[in-house]
Amino acid sequence: MIAFDTNLEIRLASDTRDNRAACRLRYQVFVEELGGDGHLVDHVNRLESDRFDPYAQQLILVDNRRDVDNLDHVVGVYRMLDGEGAKRAGQFYSDTEYDLTVLKDSGRRLLELGRSCLHPDYRKGTALFMLWNGLSEYIRRHDIEVLFCVASFFGTDASVYATHLSYLAQNHMTPPELLVTARPKSYLPMDPVPADAVSRAVVMPTMPPLIKAYLRIGGFVGDGAYVDKTFNTTDVCMVLDATRMNPRTRALYDTAGGTV
């Protein structure tokens, strides 16, 4: 049985303060911590946003002990963009890095996840689990079939992560019917290290937590990595067929409360 902090609440951002607080946390993580930037980043007010935000919803983890007026109450974020939102925006965010044609032509209900982040003080507790629980509830309510996102390694020197990328490509490649591929102009091969030189016991302890979380619930990676110089990251595209989730795994992520 997992014990959850009763001061934490998972829900959709419901007003301007919620959304600005989510963008404040995104600024703290992606700009101040990771060194990212962007055309719509507001350095004066310390808010990270982009052109997709008006078409998306933000799933937020709120600590009710923290100051709402100072936009300090949001300690976890997941931005969610569905197919209808992507149509209004003209594309999914991930379209800039990966060819998503196979997903968009599948006829299935898609949900793109993005800007996932946690406040540093909440990374060792159950906060990520609670975000996943809220996401699971949203998926169930909206009959989402396929989830996808870009997930990141810190830094733009992909050679540092050669073994990690090789492990992902060799053991967790997406099935052909959902396989997305990095855009040709930025395609970076993911398997430079021979399989006999790649050890799960070596790579998994230092695999980014978000990627590990996707793998744990049955996620796969697309073909090719992408170096995102704007966000100072090396990205992979994670794809999850929600209809194929192991029932025991789904039950695990459905155990906490929250209204989404």
Side-chain angles (χ1 to χ4, degrees):
M1 185 70 178
I2 296 174
F4 292 95
D5 187 335
T6 56
N7 293 295
L8 298 179
E9 174 189 4
I10 186 77
R11 58 180 171 80
L12 294 175
S14 60
D15 57 25
T16 299
R17 281 194 303 188
D18 279 352
N19 280 298
R20 285 175 64 85
C23 290
R24 170 68 54 78
L25 177 63
R26 286 162 46 177
Y27 186 92
Q28 292 171 344
V29 173
F30 296 118
V31 179
E32 295 178 335
E33 183 177 344
L34 299 180
D37 204 347
H39 297 302
L40 296 181
V41 171
D42 182 346
H43 293 288
V44 175
N45 294 301
R46 299 174 59 239
L47 302 173
E48 191 280 316
S49 62
D50 66 15
R51 75 175 189 86
F52 294 93
D53 282 317
Y55 309 100
Q57 291 183 296
Q58 297 200 87
L59 179 68
I60 58 174
L61 182 65
V62 173
D63 188 332
N64 292 308
R65 295 164 295 190
R66 297 172 71 100
D67 191 343
V68 175
D69 292 330
N70 286 331
L71 306 181
D72 195 42
H73 60 295
V74 174
V75 298
V77 176
Y78 241 129
R79 185 176 72 182
M80 305 182 296
L81 182 64
D82 63 14
E84 290 303 314
K87 286 181 182 179
R88 296 195 300 272
Q91 65 178 84
F92 286 104
Y93 173 87
S94 303
D95 270 307
T96 60
E97 300 184 12
Y98 287 83
D99 182 348
L100 305 177
T101 302
V102 67
L103 297 184
K104 292 186 286 188
D105 288 350
S106 70
R108 305 181 71 187
R109 292 181 66 87
L110 306 177
L111 185 67
E112 181 185 52
L113 308 175
R115 295 303 197 270
S116 173
C117 58
L118 285 171
H119 188 285
D121 293 345
Y122 295 79
R123 292 175 187 169
K124 292 185 179 180
T126 59
L128 180 59
F129 190 94
M130 291 187 69
L131 274 175
W132 274 102
N133 171 256
L135 180 61
S136 178
E137 175 66 15
Y138 186 92
I139 291 167
R140 183 169 53 247
R141 287 183 180 229
H142 296 274
D143 297 320
I144 300 299
E145 297 175 272
V146 178
L147 308 169
F148 65 98
C149 73
V150 291
S152 305
F153 294 87
F154 176 67
T156 57
D157 182 359
S159 65
V160 173
Y161 304 109
T163 304
H164 295 75
L165 294 172
S166 296
Y167 171 80
L168 292 173
Q170 293 161 9
N171 296 278
H172 297 282
M173 186 63 69
T174 304
E177 66 271 18
L178 295 177
L179 182 61
V180 302
T181 304
R183 298 286 182 185
K185 67 177 182 180
S186 56
Y187 181 94
L188 184 68
M190 289 179 61
D191 57 351
V193 180
D196 60 5
V198 176
S199 168
R200 184 183 189 281
V202 172
V203 300
M204 288 307 289
T206 53
M207 191 72 75
L210 183 60
I211 295 178
K212 283 199 288 189
Y214 282 119
L215 297 179
R216 193 175 297 121
I217 63 172
F220 296 94
V221 294
D223 180 18
Y226 175 90
V227 174
D228 187 343
K229 295 183 179 179
T230 299
F231 270 85
N232 193 33
T233 59
T234 298
D235 298 341
V236 294
C237 189
M238 305 297 302
V239 179
L240 174 66
D241 186 341
T243 65
R244 295 184 180 180
M245 282 182 66
N246 182 302
R248 292 182 62 186
T249 301
R250 179 181 289 278
L252 175 65
Y253 283 92
D254 284 348
T255 53
T259 302
V260 292

